Amino acid sequence: MTTEQKAYLQALSDVRSWHRWQIGQSVGDVRAIDAHEMAIAWIDEVIEAKKRHAAEDEATRRDRQP
């Protein structure tokens, strides 16, 4: 995984943590909690896709090396 890919995943993880924190602050606000949970679910999907792409990129780089 490249440095840029690692940094991007860390940024996504940080945003995910912020949404988790917001859920904790949303006492009794069901709509806010739902919105943050939906955001976390979307971020999880993006993280998984980025990890897959990074693995595919790494495999391609390995295949191209002599």
Side-chain angles (χ1 to χ4, degrees):
M1 189 175 296
T2 66
T3 304
E4 292 85 9
Q5 289 168 325
K6 288 178 185 176
Y8 189 81
L9 288 175
Q10 183 60 51
L12 287 172
S13 179
D14 292 347
V15 172
R16 186 184 190 286
S17 294
W18 179 82
H19 281 288
R20 273 270 157 237
W21 183 82
Q22 287 294 320
I23 288 172
Q25 302 302 310
S26 301
V27 178
D29 188 347
V30 176
R31 288 187 305 190
I33 291 170
D34 286 345
H36 289 294
E37 286 177 345
M38 287 177 19
I40 289 169
W42 180 80
I43 291 169
D44 287 343
E45 289 179 20
V46 173
I47 288 172
E48 287 307 311
K50 291 295 180 184
K51 286 180 178 179
R52 268 194 316 276
H53 293 154
E56 291 168 0
D57 291 347
E58 183 64 29
T60 301
R61 276 194 289 279
R62 273 183 289 172
D63 291 344
R64 289 183 182 167
Q65 291 179 349

